[in-house]
């Protein structure tokens, strides 16, 4: 028996509304900000919530950095890697590891520096 169910995944960032807007462009969904603006939810289709919390001292993880922790990353499943890449770059993503076009995945950073992968389904 499970002890818990996964609730919200929360990303620290300097600008919660901007990062929620970026991920809304990638995943769809509805952005809902709380009063004060230091916490923003993205209600993603299918019921999962991705949240963004203001962290003024936010230091993005390094990729790749064998001596440093990447902390975590998101794997996002797509049907067409080339089309998805074009779209996430237009939204403000930065390529981190995209040179090997034979792989079924590519690594990017969101505007706050969190790594995420586009993975072909």
């Amino acid at each position: 028996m499970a002890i818990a169910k996964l609730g919200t995944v929360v990303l620290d960032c300097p600008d919660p509304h901007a990062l929620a807007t970026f991920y809304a462009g990638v995943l769809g969904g509805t952005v809902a900000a709380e009063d004060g603006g230091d916490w923003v939810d993205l209600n993603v289709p299918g019921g999962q919530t991705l949240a963004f919390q203001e962290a003024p001292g936010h230091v993005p993880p390094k990729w790749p950095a064998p001596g440093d922790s990447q902390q975590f990353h998101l794997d996002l499943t797509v049907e067409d890697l080339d089309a998805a890449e074009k779209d996430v770059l237009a939204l403000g993503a930065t390529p981190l590891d995209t040179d090997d076009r034979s792989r079924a995945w590519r690594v990017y950073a969101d505007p706050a520096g969190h790594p995420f992968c586009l993975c072909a389904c």
Side-chain angles (χ1 to χ4, degrees):
M1 180 171 115
I3 295 171
K5 292 166 63 173
L6 179 62
T8 301
V9 173
V10 183
L11 295 151
D12 285 355
C13 59
D15 185 342
H17 194 271
L19 198 55
T21 300
F22 170 81
Y23 278 104
V26 175
L27 300 170
T30 305
V31 175
E34 292 187 1
D35 291 338
D38 60 350
W39 183 281
V40 178
D41 287 333
L42 173 59
N43 300 307
V44 178
Q48 189 64 45
T49 299
L50 189 58
F52 307 89
Q53 175 177 284
E54 184 175 2
H58 172 70
V59 176
K62 297 174 186 162
W63 184 286
D68 292 318
S69 170
Q70 65 175 289
Q71 299 170 18
F72 80 101
H73 70 272
L74 300 172
D75 283 346
L76 308 177
T77 304
V78 299
E79 291 184 22
D80 182 331
L81 275 173
D82 293 329
E85 176 178 68
K86 180 180 174 187
D87 291 342
V88 299
L89 293 175
L91 289 168
T94 302
L96 296 178
D97 186 358
T98 61
D99 293 337
D100 185 350
R101 299 299 194 175
S102 68
R103 293 186 312 216
W105 51 272
R106 299 176 192 160
V107 185
Y108 307 84
D110 67 26
H114 304 104
F116 68 94
C117 296
L118 295 179
C119 305
C121 55

